[in-house]
Every structure is written in C-alpha cells, then in structure tokens.
Amino acid sequence: MAKRGRSRSKWSKYRIVRGVRSLRSHVPKSKPYSKSNLKSMLARYGKVIVKPAHGSGGKGVMRVRSSSGGIEIRYKRNRKTYSSRSEANRYIRRKSKGKELLVQRYIRLARIGGRPFDLRVMVQRRKNSSKWKVTGKLAKVAGKGYIITNVQRSQGKVMGVKSALRASDLRRNSASRRRRILKEVDRVSRVGAKTLRRHYRYIHTVGMDIGVDRDGKVWMIEPNFKPSLSLFKKLNKKAYRNIVKYRK
C-alpha cells in the first residue's frame, strides 16, 4: 500500500484514476506541460486547459486553443493571440512563475445562460468503514466572461444540481436523461474515491469536481482531498451538516 508521503499532485491523482478501466473514458487526457506536449495536445484536441499541478481554486488556469491567427490564450477575462507556439509558451511560463503545470483536454461543459458550470460532489466514508457515500452535491456556475467555475474567483454562483441541469443547454434535456446523468455522476465519484483510497489510505473525504458536457457525458475534472464546505453551508445547511457529521 502507498504511504502517506505519496505525491498529492494533480498528475499523480490523474494517473491513478486514469488507470482504472471503468473510469478511463471519464477522465480528460492530461500530460505534464511542455512545449512539445502543448503542440501534440493542440493537434489532437484543438483546445486545451493549462493549469498548475498543485493548488486549487482555479488559480492560474488558462484555456489555450489553435486559431486562424495562431495560438489564443484565455486567462481570467483576457484573451491574447500569439503567432507562434514559442511566443505562447513564453507567456504561459511567465504567468506560471516557474510552477509545475499540466496540459489537459478541454471539455466543453454544459452552460447556463452561456456560462459553464460543473458539479462539486462530496464523497465520504466513516473512519472504520471502506464504504463510500455521496453526501452532497451542488453546481458551480462561472461568472460572466470566465472559463473557471470557482465561485469566489469568477464571481459566479451556486445552484442545486437538479435545477442547474434543468436550466442548462444540455441536448435532449429530459427528466429521464437528467436522472441517468446524476446516477452516473454518483457512480464515477464513488469509484474515483474508492480507487484513490487504495493509494492514499488516510483519506475520508473527497470533493470531486465533475463536469457534464452538452452531450450529457460525465467527466472527472479533478479530485480534492481538502474541499471547502463554505458553498454547501451557503446553499444547503442540511447537506452541510450531513457532510460535517461524516467528517467526525
């Protein structure tokens, strides 16, 4: 079994969950950032996310895409276009301030009023149990002009998951389809937490950032071992109390 000292970087967690057959198609392809990896990922997907390998809260996240004018980079609410990958790489390196980065396939998330959203899914187990349970879910909607869904950083908002899916631009947006999506969200989240626990034996709580694209496919964007509970406290005090209870 892995020891507590195993790296908690996003790259380490990615390799663990991507290695599970039932999760592989739900985990966006990622690579350590380099100029050559950026080139190959853009050639394959046309649009990618570049983000720090450590940290949380959407800090330092950029969207990079190939365009007719060169390479377009979206950072915060700004867009810059560079004529070459070398120029784009210099900008990315400058903004990252020497931090380790990942380049990840861009997922076109479903939107509400033109703004992308994803789900925060809390998965927990009691201290002497191996059974994982989904104890809370909410939707995080990006603020106007932002690509990130972190509510504080983008001045976005939180919503109930069912309300968010109902209000979204999801194709064939029916009640039965939304139920199937939520069932898959729970399955992917539980299997992800169970898989990670084999390598990080001490974890009891995982906050999964789960995306749903316009076609209704469920994506595990990334797992968080120390998720903030402030959004649950704001949106649903009953869910918040249930999550805190499981943490004890």
Side-chain angles (χ1 to χ4, degrees):
M1 295 296 179
K3 297 180 180 180
R4 180 176 286 268
R6 174 183 282 273
S7 170
R8 293 173 60 166
S9 75
K10 294 173 186 177
W11 175 242
S12 294
K13 294 174 188 174
Y14 163 81
R15 293 180 67 191
I16 289 167
V17 293
R18 179 86 177 184
V20 176
R21 182 175 297 178
S22 65
L23 293 177
R24 191 169 298 137
S25 66
H26 297 278
V27 181
K29 178 71 174 177
S30 301
K31 292 183 178 183
Y33 180 85
S34 68
K35 187 178 175 181
S36 61
N37 281 344
L38 177 64
K39 178 183 178 180
S40 65
M41 291 283 278
L42 282 174
R44 183 171 181 180
Y45 300 112
K47 192 181 294 185
V48 298
I49 292 292
V50 174
K51 62 184 182 180
H54 300 270
S56 59
K59 186 176 181 180
V61 174
M62 297 174 237
R63 189 188 74 188
V64 184
R65 75 178 183 94
S66 299
S67 71
S68 58
I71 306 294
E72 181 193 271
I73 300 177
R74 181 94 172 264
Y75 179 55
K76 296 182 179 178
R77 299 178 73 177
N78 303 315
R79 297 174 192 258
K80 291 182 179 292
T81 301
Y82 295 92
S83 58
S84 70
R85 277 188 297 272
S86 293
E87 289 179 309
N89 178 65
R90 283 195 290 272
Y91 174 83
I92 291 167
R93 289 296 190 188
R94 186 168 70 250
K95 288 297 182 182
S96 69
K97 298 178 181 178
K99 294 179 181 177
E100 183 183 354
L101 299 171
L102 296 180
V103 54
Q104 182 182 70
R105 174 185 177 180
Y106 174 79
I107 303 301
R108 193 183 189 286
L109 298 174
R111 295 172 178 248
I112 298 171
R115 304 180 189 189
F117 72 96
D118 64 10
L119 311 180
R120 169 57 58 86
V121 183
M122 297 296 295
V123 197
Q124 297 178 280
R125 69 177 179 91
R126 298 194 185 278
K127 287 191 175 181
N128 296 314
S129 173
S130 60
K131 185 177 180 180
W132 290 88
K133 181 178 179 181
V134 173
T135 54
K137 291 193 288 282
L138 55 74
K140 300 174 291 167
V141 186
K144 186 176 181 179
Y146 281 86
I147 59 167
I148 60 169
T149 59
N150 180 269
V151 172
Q152 184 177 4
R153 196 171 296 279
S154 73
Q155 292 88 54
K157 64 179 180 179
V158 293
M159 295 179 65
V161 171
K162 292 181 180 179
S163 298
L165 288 175
R166 190 164 52 246
S168 76
D169 62 355
L170 185 70
R171 292 189 176 98
R172 301 183 300 281
N173 194 343
S174 66
S176 61
R177 191 149 195 261
R178 293 193 296 270
R179 285 194 295 270
R180 287 195 296 272
I181 289 169
L182 290 176
K183 185 176 181 180
E184 186 71 346
V185 166
D186 286 0
R187 184 195 73 81
V188 167
S189 299
R190 284 195 302 267
V191 173
K194 184 177 179 180
T195 299
L196 287 162
R197 202 241 165 173
R198 297 189 193 116
H199 299 266
Y200 304 93
R201 298 293 295 174
Y202 54 90
I203 61 172
H204 297 89
T205 296
V206 182
M208 292 286 185
D209 283 337
I210 300 289
V212 179
D213 68 23
R214 285 195 66 202
D215 293 318
K217 182 166 182 177
V218 173
W219 296 91
M220 184 191 296
I221 307 300
E222 64 183 50
N224 303 277
F225 291 168
K226 290 186 177 180
S228 170
L229 303 185
S230 60
L231 295 181
F232 284 96
K233 191 173 185 179
K234 179 180 179 181
L235 180 70
N236 186 330
K237 287 185 168 54
K238 183 178 179 181
Y240 171 76
R241 288 193 295 269
N242 190 39
I243 293 165
V244 171
K245 182 180 177 182
Y246 254 81
R247 274 188 161 183
K248 292 179 179 178

Coordinates of all heavy atoms in Angstrom, one line a residue, residues 107-160:
I107 N -12.8 20.3 -22.0 CA -14.1 19.8 -22.1 C -15.1 20.9 -22.2 O -15.1 21.8 -21.3 CB -14.5 18.9 -20.8 CG1 -13.4 17.8 -20.6 CG2 -15.9 18.4 -20.9 CD1 -13.4 16.8 -21.8
R108 N -15.9 20.9 -23.2 CA -17.0 21.9 -23.4 C -18.1 21.6 -22.5 O -19.0 20.8 -22.8 CB -17.4 22.0 -24.8 CG -18.2 23.3 -25.1 CD -18.8 23.4 -26.5 NE -19.4 24.7 -26.8 CZ -20.5 25.1 -26.3 NH1 -21.3 24.3 -25.5 NH2 -21.0 26.3 -26.7
L109 N -18.1 22.2 -21.3 CA -19.1 22.0 -20.3 C -20.5 22.5 -20.7 O -20.6 23.5 -21.5 CB -18.7 22.6 -19.0 CG -17.4 22.2 -18.3 CD1 -17.1 23.0 -17.1 CD2 -17.5 20.7 -17.9
A110 N -21.5 21.9 -20.2 CA -22.9 22.4 -20.4 C -22.9 23.8 -19.8 O -22.1 24.1 -18.8 CB -23.9 21.5 -19.8
R111 N -23.8 24.6 -20.3 CA -23.8 26.0 -19.8 C -25.2 26.4 -19.4 O -26.2 25.9 -19.8 CB -23.4 26.9 -20.9 CG -21.9 26.7 -21.3 CD -21.5 27.5 -22.6 NE -20.1 27.2 -22.8 CZ -19.1 28.1 -22.7 NH1 -19.4 29.4 -22.4 NH2 -17.9 27.8 -22.9
I112 N -25.2 27.4 -18.5 CA -26.5 28.1 -18.1 C -26.4 29.6 -18.4 O -25.5 30.3 -17.9 CB -26.7 27.9 -16.6 CG1 -26.8 26.4 -16.2 CG2 -27.9 28.7 -16.1 CD1 -26.8 26.2 -14.7
G113 N -27.2 30.0 -19.3 CA -27.1 31.4 -19.8 C -25.8 31.7 -20.4 O -25.3 32.8 -20.2
G114 N -25.2 30.8 -21.1 CA -23.9 31.0 -21.7 C -22.7 30.8 -20.8 O -21.6 31.0 -21.3
R115 N -22.9 30.5 -19.6 CA -21.8 30.4 -18.6 C -21.6 28.9 -18.2 O -22.6 28.2 -17.9 CB -22.1 31.2 -17.3 CG -22.4 32.6 -17.6 CD -22.7 33.4 -16.3 NE -23.2 34.7 -16.6 CZ -23.3 35.7 -15.7 NH1 -23.0 35.4 -14.4 NH2 -23.7 36.9 -16.0
P116 N -20.4 28.4 -18.3 CA -20.1 27.0 -18.0 C -20.3 26.7 -16.5 O -20.2 27.6 -15.7 CB -18.6 26.8 -18.4 CG -18.0 28.1 -18.3 CD -19.1 29.1 -18.7
F117 N -20.7 25.5 -16.2 CA -20.8 25.1 -14.8 C -20.3 23.6 -14.7 O -20.3 22.9 -15.6 CB -22.3 25.1 -14.3 CG -23.2 24.1 -14.9 CD1 -23.5 22.9 -14.1 CD2 -23.8 24.2 -16.1 CE1 -24.3 22.0 -14.6 CE2 -24.7 23.3 -16.6 CZ -24.9 22.1 -15.9
D118 N -19.9 23.3 -13.5 CA -19.6 21.9 -13.1 C -20.2 21.6 -11.7 O -20.8 22.5 -11.1 CB -18.0 21.7 -13.2 CG -17.2 22.5 -12.2 OD1 -17.8 23.1 -11.3 OD2 -16.0 22.5 -12.2
L119 N -19.9 20.4 -11.3 CA -20.5 19.9 -10.0 C -19.4 19.7 -9.0 O -18.4 19.1 -9.3 CB -21.3 18.7 -10.3 CG -22.3 18.7 -11.4 CD1 -23.0 17.3 -11.5 CD2 -23.3 19.8 -11.3
R120 N -19.7 20.0 -7.8 CA -18.9 19.6 -6.7 C -19.6 18.5 -6.0 O -20.8 18.7 -5.5 CB -18.6 20.7 -5.7 CG -18.0 20.4 -4.4 CD -16.7 19.6 -4.5 NE -15.6 20.3 -5.2 CZ -14.8 21.2 -4.6 NH1 -14.9 21.4 -3.4 NH2 -13.9 21.7 -5.4
V121 N -19.0 17.3 -6.0 CA -19.7 16.1 -5.4 C -18.8 15.7 -4.2 O -17.6 15.3 -4.3 CB -19.8 15.0 -6.4 CG1 -20.5 13.8 -5.8 CG2 -20.5 15.4 -7.7
M122 N -19.4 15.6 -3.0 CA -18.8 15.2 -1.8 C -19.0 13.7 -1.6 O -20.1 13.2 -1.6 CB -19.3 15.9 -0.6 CG -19.1 17.5 -0.6 SD -17.4 17.9 -0.6 CE -17.0 17.4 1.1
V123 N -17.8 13.0 -1.5 CA -17.9 11.5 -1.3 C -17.1 11.3 -0.1 O -15.9 11.7 0.1 CB -17.2 10.8 -2.5 CG1 -17.6 9.3 -2.5 CG2 -17.6 11.4 -3.8
Q124 N -17.7 10.5 0.9 CA -17.1 10.3 2.2 C -17.3 8.9 2.7 O -18.2 8.2 2.2 CB -17.8 11.3 3.2 CG -17.5 12.8 2.9 CD -18.2 13.7 3.8 OE1 -19.4 13.9 3.8 NE2 -17.5 14.2 4.8
R125 N -16.4 8.5 3.6 CA -16.5 7.3 4.3 C -16.3 7.5 5.8 O -15.6 8.4 6.2 CB -15.5 6.2 3.8 CG -14.1 6.5 4.1 CD -13.2 5.4 3.6 NE -11.8 5.7 3.9 CZ -11.1 5.4 5.0 NH1 -11.8 4.7 6.0 NH2 -9.9 5.8 5.2
R126 N -16.9 6.7 6.6 CA -16.6 6.8 8.0 C -15.3 6.2 8.3 O -14.7 5.4 7.6 CB -17.7 6.1 8.8 CG -19.1 6.8 8.6 CD -20.1 6.3 9.6 NE -21.4 6.9 9.3 CZ -21.8 8.1 9.6 NH1 -21.0 8.9 10.3 NH2 -23.0 8.5 9.4
K127 N -14.7 6.6 9.5 CA -13.3 6.2 9.7 C -13.0 4.8 9.7 O -11.9 4.4 9.3 CB -12.9 6.9 11.1 CG -12.7 8.4 11.0 CD -12.0 8.9 12.2 CE -11.7 10.4 12.0 NZ -11.0 11.0 13.2
N128 N -13.9 3.9 10.2 CA -13.6 2.5 10.2 C -14.4 1.7 9.1 O -14.7 0.6 9.3 CB -13.9 1.9 11.6 CG -13.0 2.5 12.7 OD1 -11.8 2.6 12.5 ND2 -13.6 2.9 13.8
S129 N -14.7 2.4 8.1 CA -15.5 1.8 7.0 C -14.8 2.0 5.7 O -14.1 3.0 5.4 CB -16.9 2.4 6.9 OG -17.6 1.9 5.8
S130 N -15.0 1.0 4.8 CA -14.5 1.1 3.4 C -15.6 1.5 2.4 O -15.3 1.6 1.2 CB -13.8 -0.2 3.0 OG -14.8 -1.2 3.0
K131 N -16.8 1.8 2.9 CA -17.9 2.1 2.0 C -18.0 3.6 1.8 O -18.0 4.4 2.8 CB -19.2 1.6 2.6 CG -20.4 1.8 1.7 CD -21.7 1.2 2.4 CE -22.9 1.5 1.5 NZ -24.1 0.9 2.0
W132 N -18.0 4.0 0.6 CA -18.0 5.4 0.2 C -19.4 5.8 -0.1 O -20.2 5.1 -0.8 CB -17.1 5.7 -1.0 CG -15.6 5.6 -0.6 CD1 -14.9 4.5 -0.6 CD2 -14.8 6.7 -0.1 NE1 -13.6 4.8 -0.2 CE2 -13.5 6.2 0.1 CE3 -15.0 8.1 0.1 CZ2 -12.5 6.9 0.6 CZ3 -13.9 8.8 0.6 CH2 -12.7 8.3 0.8
K133 N -19.8 7.0 0.3 CA -21.2 7.5 0.1 C -21.2 8.9 -0.4 O -20.3 9.8 0.1 CB -22.0 7.4 1.4 CG -23.4 7.9 1.3 CD -24.2 7.8 2.6 CE -25.6 8.3 2.4 NZ -26.4 8.2 3.7
V134 N -22.0 9.3 -1.4 CA -22.2 10.7 -1.8 C -23.0 11.4 -0.8 O -24.2 11.0 -0.5 CB -22.8 10.7 -3.2 CG1 -23.1 12.2 -3.6 CG2 -21.9 10.1 -4.3
T135 N -22.4 12.4 -0.1 CA -23.1 13.1 1.0 C -23.6 14.5 0.6 O -24.3 15.1 1.4 CB -22.2 13.2 2.2 OG1 -21.0 13.8 1.8 CG2 -21.9 11.8 2.8
G136 N -23.3 14.9 -0.6 CA -23.7 16.3 -1.0 C -23.3 16.6 -2.4 O -22.2 16.1 -2.9
K137 N -24.1 17.4 -3.1 CA -23.8 17.8 -4.5 C -24.3 19.2 -4.7 O -25.3 19.6 -4.1 CB -24.4 16.9 -5.5 CG -23.9 15.5 -5.7 CD -24.4 14.8 -6.9 CE -25.9 14.5 -6.9 NZ -26.2 13.3 -6.1
L138 N -23.5 20.0 -5.4 CA -24.0 21.3 -5.8 C -23.4 21.7 -7.2 O -22.4 21.1 -7.6 CB -23.7 22.4 -4.8 CG -22.3 22.6 -4.3 CD1 -21.4 23.3 -5.3 CD2 -22.3 23.4 -3.0
A139 N -23.9 22.7 -7.8 CA -23.4 23.2 -9.1 C -22.7 24.5 -8.9 O -23.2 25.4 -8.2 CB -24.6 23.3 -10.1
K140 N -21.6 24.7 -9.6 CA -20.8 25.9 -9.5 C -20.9 26.5 -10.9 O -20.4 25.9 -11.9 CB -19.4 25.7 -9.1 CG -19.2 25.1 -7.7 CD -17.7 24.7 -7.5 CE -17.3 23.6 -8.4 NZ -15.8 23.4 -8.5
V141 N -21.5 27.7 -11.0 CA -21.6 28.4 -12.3 C -20.6 29.5 -12.4 O -20.5 30.4 -11.5 CB -23.1 28.9 -12.5 CG1 -23.3 29.5 -13.9 CG2 -24.1 27.9 -12.2
A142 N -19.9 29.5 -13.5 CA -18.8 30.6 -13.7 C -19.5 31.9 -13.8 O -20.6 32.1 -14.3 CB -18.1 30.3 -15.0
G143 N -18.7 32.9 -13.4 CA -19.1 34.3 -13.6 C -19.0 34.8 -15.0 O -18.4 34.1 -15.8
K144 N -19.6 35.8 -15.3 CA -19.7 36.3 -16.7 C -18.3 36.6 -17.3 O -17.4 37.2 -16.7 CB -20.5 37.6 -16.8 CG -20.7 38.1 -18.2 CD -21.6 39.4 -18.3 CE -21.8 39.8 -19.7 NZ -22.7 41.0 -19.7
G145 N -18.0 36.0 -18.4 CA -16.7 36.2 -19.1 C -15.6 35.2 -18.6 O -14.5 35.3 -19.1
Y146 N -15.8 34.4 -17.6 CA -14.8 33.5 -17.1 C -15.0 32.1 -17.6 O -16.1 31.6 -17.9 CB -14.9 33.4 -15.6 CG -14.3 34.6 -14.9 CD1 -15.0 35.8 -14.6 CD2 -12.9 34.6 -14.4 CE1 -14.4 36.9 -14.0 CE2 -12.4 35.6 -13.8 CZ -13.1 36.8 -13.6 OH -12.5 37.9 -12.9
I147 N -13.8 31.4 -17.7 CA -13.8 29.9 -18.1 C -13.8 29.0 -16.9 O -14.1 27.9 -17.0 CB -12.7 29.6 -19.0 CG1 -11.3 29.9 -18.3 CG2 -12.7 30.3 -20.3 CD1 -10.1 29.3 -19.0
I148 N -13.4 29.6 -15.7 CA -13.3 28.8 -14.5 C -14.6 28.9 -13.7 O -15.3 29.9 -13.8 CB -12.1 29.2 -13.6 CG1 -12.2 30.7 -13.2 CG2 -10.8 28.9 -14.3 CD1 -11.3 31.1 -12.1
T149 N -15.0 27.8 -13.0 CA -16.2 27.8 -12.2 C -16.0 28.1 -10.8 O -17.0 28.1 -10.0 CB -16.9 26.4 -12.4 OG1 -16.0 25.4 -11.9 CG2 -17.2 26.1 -13.8
N150 N -14.8 28.4 -10.3 CA -14.6 28.7 -8.9 C -15.4 30.0 -8.6 O -15.3 31.0 -9.3 CB -13.1 29.0 -8.7 CG -12.9 29.4 -7.2 OD1 -12.9 30.6 -6.9 ND2 -12.7 28.4 -6.4
V151 N -16.3 29.8 -7.7 CA -17.3 30.9 -7.5 C -16.7 32.2 -7.0 O -17.1 33.3 -7.5 CB -18.4 30.4 -6.5 CG1 -19.4 31.5 -6.0 CG2 -19.2 29.2 -7.1
Q152 N -15.8 32.1 -6.0 CA -15.2 33.3 -5.5 C -14.3 34.0 -6.5 O -14.4 35.2 -6.7 CB -14.3 33.0 -4.3 CG -13.8 34.2 -3.6 CD -13.0 33.8 -2.3 OE1 -12.8 32.6 -2.0 NE2 -12.5 34.8 -1.6
R153 N -13.5 33.2 -7.2 CA -12.6 33.8 -8.2 C -13.3 34.4 -9.4 O -12.8 35.4 -10.0 CB -11.5 32.8 -8.6 CG -10.3 33.4 -9.3 CD -9.2 32.3 -9.5 NE -8.7 31.8 -8.2 CZ -7.8 32.4 -7.5 NH1 -7.3 33.5 -7.8 NH2 -7.4 31.8 -6.3
S154 N -14.4 33.8 -9.8 CA -15.0 34.3 -11.0 C -16.3 35.1 -10.7 O -17.0 35.5 -11.7 CB -15.4 33.1 -11.9 OG -16.5 32.4 -11.4
Q155 N -16.6 35.3 -9.4 CA -17.8 36.0 -9.1 C -19.0 35.2 -9.6 O -20.0 35.8 -10.2 CB -17.9 37.5 -9.5 CG -16.9 38.4 -8.7 CD -15.5 38.4 -9.4 OE1 -15.5 38.7 -10.6 NE2 -14.5 38.1 -8.7
G156 N -19.0 33.9 -9.6 CA -20.0 33.1 -10.0 C -21.1 32.8 -9.0 O -21.2 33.6 -8.0
K157 N -21.9 31.7 -9.2 CA -22.9 31.4 -8.2 C -23.1 29.9 -8.0 O -22.6 29.1 -8.8 CB -24.2 32.0 -8.7 CG -24.8 31.4 -10.0 CD -26.1 32.1 -10.4 CE -26.6 31.5 -11.7 NZ -28.0 32.0 -12.1
V158 N -23.8 29.6 -7.0 CA -24.0 28.1 -6.7 C -25.5 27.9 -6.9 O -26.4 28.8 -6.8 CB -23.6 27.7 -5.3 CG1 -22.1 27.8 -5.1 CG2 -24.3 28.6 -4.2
M159 N -25.8 26.7 -7.4 CA -27.2 26.2 -7.6 C -27.3 24.8 -7.2 O -26.3 24.0 -7.0 CB -27.5 26.3 -9.1 CG -27.6 27.7 -9.7 SD -28.0 27.7 -11.5 CE -29.7 27.0 -11.4
G160 N -28.6 24.4 -6.9 CA -28.8 22.9 -6.7 C -28.5 22.2 -8.0 O -28.7 22.8 -9.1

